[in-house]
Amino acid sequence: MERGLDGHSPAVYVHTGDCHMAGKRSRPASREQTLQALADGVDACTHCRPDRELRFLE
């Protein structure tokens, strides 16, 4: 998950582990954490589409 500009803010994007768009503020997250973030409204990266990888349905 990619955090805000200070690196400690709530997640702003969810990426897959091999996404080329994940920046230096990205940190690993479990499947459960990722699904919860998506459910809470954190945007999925439009390049790697982790929501599709995890079969997350809104």
Side-chain angles (χ1 to χ4, degrees), residues 36-54:
Q36 185 62 54
L38 291 169
D40 290 344
V42 177
D43 291 329
C45 173
T46 57
H47 294 266
C48 65
R49 299 308 308 244
D51 50 343
R52 289 184 187 166
E53 290 283 324
L54 296 171

